[in-house]
């Protein structure tokens, strides 16, 4: 873990986050984003841990075909996380190994590079509107979408009776409602991603994509509740840990 005192580290990370945020692009930048014609490869990244061990993790990258969502590429590496966990700064802990996985693919098999990456976590829906999906997107230069399984209670969005009522009104796959900050700015959407799942996922812009396109693409990539690129990354990273550490419980 870092030997820098935590307050100094937070100040350092806050400054770095602000610097990277200046490079963030919130709108669509690619031709395929209009109607998904020309989109052929979608990526997903995730980290899984052995319960009780918050330092060693399995970093997983998958690339799936689109629209078939069949596996084209996977990379799985055990990594040691050197940065501590600090709420609001998850990207400094997890992004380096995910970025390395993408850079390794670009060096070795560039024809399989994803055209968009789904990140298990938040993008704009974040304390300072720069979550892990934004951070990774700016560093790798690819369009990124943040999809979180749990609600981050931030900027006035809380798990209130109103929020739970809005969830209950999501009657079918594709129904959604905006995640509106106290300022009035929409930071993401809660999406019922399939008819079979009543629990929403929380979708937000990562980089070089609009919220509307992120929502449409997330819906197209869902066979179940979680978009298939993230779901496959999670399944495969957990399976790696179960195979190599058979007596351990996993979490991600």
């Amino acid at each position: 873990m870092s030997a820098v005192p935590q307050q100094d580290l937070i100040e350092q990370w806050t400054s770095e986050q602000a610097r990277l945020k200046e490079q963030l692009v919130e709108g669509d930048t690619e031709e395929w984003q209009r109607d998904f014609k020309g989109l052929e490869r979608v990526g997903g990244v995730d980290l899984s841990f052995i319960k009780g061990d918050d330092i060693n993790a399995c970093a997983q990258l998958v690339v799936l075909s689109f629209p078939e969502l069949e596996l084209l590429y996977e990379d799985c590496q055990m990594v040691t996380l050197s940065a501590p966990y600090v709420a609001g700064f998850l990207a400094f802990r997890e992004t380096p190994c995910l970025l390395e996985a993408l850079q390794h693919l670009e060096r070795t098999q560039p024809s399989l590079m994803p055209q968009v990456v789904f990140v298990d976590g938040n993008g704009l829906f974040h304390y300072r509107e720069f979550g892990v999906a934004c951070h990774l997107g700016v560093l790798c230069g690819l369009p990124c979408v943040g999809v979180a399984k749990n609600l981050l209670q931030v900027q006035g969005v809380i798990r209130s009776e109103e929020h739970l009522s809005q969830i209950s009104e999501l009657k079918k796959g594709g129904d959604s409602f905006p995640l509106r900050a106290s300022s009035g700015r929409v930071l993401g959407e809660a999406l019922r991603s399939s008819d079979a799942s009543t629990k929403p996922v929380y979708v937000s812009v990562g980089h070089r994509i609009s919220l509307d396109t992120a929502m449409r693409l997330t819906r197209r990539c869902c066979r179940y509740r979680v978009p298939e690129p993230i779901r496959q990354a999670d399944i495969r990273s957990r399976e790696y840990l179960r195979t190599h550490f058979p007596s351990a419980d996993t979490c991600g």
Side-chain angles (χ1 to χ4, degrees):
M1 292 294 180
S2 173
V4 179
Q6 189 170 80
Q7 188 54 45
D8 291 348
L9 197 60
I10 288 173
E11 291 176 4
Q12 177 185 324
W13 283 351
T14 300
S15 175
E16 179 67 4
Q17 221 172 46
R19 184 186 69 80
L20 291 173
K21 187 178 177 182
E22 293 178 356
Q23 302 172 51
L24 182 66
V25 177
E26 296 183 30
D28 291 336
T29 61
E30 310 302 304
E31 280 295 317
W32 60 258
Q33 290 169 329
R34 264 190 301 186
D35 52 15
F36 302 144
K37 290 180 179 176
L39 178 59
E40 298 177 347
R41 298 173 306 283
V42 293
V45 291
D46 192 27
L47 284 177
S48 289
F49 296 83
I50 296 171
K51 285 185 179 178
D53 183 348
D54 62 356
I55 296 176
N56 298 295
C58 180
Q60 182 81 39
L61 164 66
V62 300
V63 181
L64 308 183
S65 62
F66 184 87
E68 302 86 1
L69 302 178
E70 299 297 332
L71 185 71
L72 297 175
Y73 172 88
E74 68 172 316
D75 179 49
C76 184
Q77 299 290 333
M78 287 300 298
V79 297
T80 300
L81 304 180
S82 58
Y85 171 76
V86 180
F89 298 96
L90 180 67
F92 290 94
R93 179 170 165 81
E94 295 191 352
T95 294
C97 58
L98 301 177
L99 180 63
E100 171 54 34
L102 286 164
Q103 291 173 336
H104 174 76
L105 174 57
E106 187 171 30
R107 289 192 303 268
T108 58
Q109 299 185 67
S111 63
L112 292 179
M113 278 293 288
Q115 294 160 276
V116 59
V117 179
F118 282 89
V119 181
D120 182 18
N122 293 292
L124 285 181
F125 187 53
H126 176 264
Y127 304 94
R128 287 167 298 281
E129 300 177 18
F130 199 78
V132 63
C134 299
H135 199 119
L136 180 64
V138 167
L139 291 178
C140 74
L142 295 170
C144 284
V145 179
V147 182
K149 296 184 282 289
N150 299 305
L151 177 68
L152 179 67
Q153 300 191 86
V154 63
Q155 295 207 35
V157 181
I158 60 173
R159 193 173 174 80
S160 60
E161 288 299 321
E162 180 185 5
H163 183 82
L164 295 175
S165 175
Q166 289 176 303
I167 290 175
S168 71
E169 293 169 6
L170 303 176
K171 301 300 185 185
K172 63 183 186 304
D175 287 353
S176 66
F177 62 85
L179 301 169
R180 195 179 302 276
S182 301
S183 65
R185 176 163 156 81
V186 174
L187 300 180
E189 296 246 354
L191 169 69
R192 180 168 176 172
S193 50
S194 74
D195 291 335
S197 176
T198 57
K199 293 178 65 176
V201 291
Y202 299 95
V203 180
S204 56
V205 168
H207 183 53
R208 290 179 58 188
I209 197 165
S210 66
L211 182 56
D212 174 71
T213 301
M215 288 286 287
R216 288 187 293 113
L217 184 58
T218 299
R219 181 78 174 99
R220 287 283 299 274
C221 288
C222 284
R223 290 175 172 166
Y224 304 96
R225 178 187 173 219
V226 175
E228 200 63 12
I230 294 175
R231 179 174 171 270
Q232 286 297 324
D234 178 66
I235 288 171
R236 292 166 187 277
S237 59
R238 288 173 185 265
E239 182 59 33
Y240 181 93
L241 291 178
R242 279 193 292 268
T243 299
H244 291 80
F245 305 93
S247 63
D249 291 331
T250 64
C251 58

